[in-house]
Amino acid sequence: MTFAEILDTLPTIDHLSGLNVKQGDEVIHHIPAVPGKLGSLRLYHALAEKFNGKLDRTSAQQGIVWFAEHVEDAKNNPGKHPNIDLLFDVIENHRLLHLELLKN
């Protein structure tokens, strides 16, 4: 399945203004509900729902699967896809982060 096809199967994000990725109380990453970021927001929202707000090795691996064809481009172009780069970092460094949904 492509990224677009996978997105169609994920929960909607109409009720969100964004999502924070937190380490403890510190926001280390933010995904706003703006054009160009809505696919990532939808994917991270689905991860938050499926994994009870935890971003760890297991949930990050699921995110990599869902990002589908964009993963190879992210591997070849570090920094181009920060939302995928974060998943790589979580996996490689065995990080445990929290996903905070920001509601409208």
Side-chain angles (χ1 to χ4, degrees):
M1 290 178 74
T2 67
F3 179 62
E5 291 168 334
I6 291 166
L7 283 183
D8 286 341
T9 69
L10 301 178
T12 62
I13 54 168
D14 300 338
H15 63 293
L16 296 180
S17 63
L19 178 143
N20 286 334
V21 181
K22 297 176 83 175
Q23 183 169 7
D25 292 331
E26 180 185 359
V27 175
I28 62 164
H29 190 76
H30 175 72
I31 305 172
V34 298
K37 299 293 181 190
L38 296 175
S40 289
L41 178 59
R42 192 165 179 180
L43 185 147
Y44 270 79
H45 169 252
L47 289 176
E49 285 197 347
K50 182 172 182 165
F51 296 97
N52 298 312
K54 290 181 186 170
L55 185 60
D56 60 9
R57 187 177 182 86
T58 301
S59 56
Q61 287 171 330
Q62 178 65 74
I64 294 293
V65 170
W66 286 344
F67 269 114
E69 72 272 13
H70 297 292
V71 173
E72 194 61 34
D73 190 42
K75 285 180 184 174
N76 294 330
N77 299 285
K80 183 177 178 183
H81 301 277
N83 298 315
I84 300 174
D85 293 342
L86 177 61
L87 298 177
F88 291 153
D89 180 56
V90 167
I91 292 167
E92 291 167 14
N93 295 301
H94 302 277
R95 296 180 78 182
L96 174 58
L97 305 173
H98 178 73
L99 302 173
E100 176 185 45
L101 301 175
L102 305 174
K103 299 185 179 181
N104 290 329

